[in-house]
Amino acid sequence: MNISNHCELCGREPVETTVHHLTPKEMGGTFMPTANLCIPCHKQIHSLYTNRDLITLGLTTLESLRADDRIVPYLRWIRKQPASTIPRVRKSHHVRKT
């Protein structure tokens, strides 16, 4: 984890970041591009999408993630929150049943 960075998805700073593999490691993304995301954004991605979803929906770039209808309302909301905010995240029904 890094401190005093900015989140490459929501743009908040300074935040603690984690490394997100844009192509999931289990789908061959071990040595592919990564992004530094704040903990809330990283958790939100994995609560909305399965690793298979990320591949089949083509959500393997920051631009494609930012444009997806399921995450747009979250990004609009989180950008207004203080950098210290780490909201509780609940997995979507879609992810829980998979």
Side-chain angles (χ1 to χ4, degrees):
M1 287 190 202
N2 299 320
I3 298 179
S4 296
N5 286 326
H6 82 282
C7 175
E8 291 182 58
L9 188 61
C10 71
R12 294 184 314 147
E13 61 183 353
V15 292
E16 192 172 311
T17 59
T18 58
V19 175
H20 171 68
H21 288 81
L22 293 168
T23 299
K25 288 192 286 188
E26 71 180 35
M27 305 287 199
T30 302
F31 301 107
M32 296 179 80
T34 60
N36 291 321
L37 304 182
C38 65
I39 294 168
C41 283
H42 202 169
K43 285 183 175 184
Q44 187 67 19
I45 288 170
H46 291 292
S47 72
L48 291 175
Y49 312 102
T50 64
N51 285 342
R52 182 173 302 285
D53 290 339
L54 292 171
I55 297 295
T56 58
L57 297 172
L59 302 176
T60 56
T61 65
L62 289 169
E63 295 76 27
S64 61
L65 276 168
R66 280 189 206 107
D68 189 73
D69 290 342
R70 283 195 257 176
I71 204 163
V72 166
Y74 164 80
L75 290 174
R76 199 176 300 130
W77 174 79
I78 197 70
R79 285 179 181 134
K80 298 175 190 170
Q81 305 308 309
S84 60
T85 298
I86 299 184
R88 290 184 57 173
V89 176
R90 207 171 146 217
K91 289 189 177 182
S92 69
H93 178 69
H94 167 74
V95 171
R96 281 183 284 159
K97 71 176 186 175
T98 310

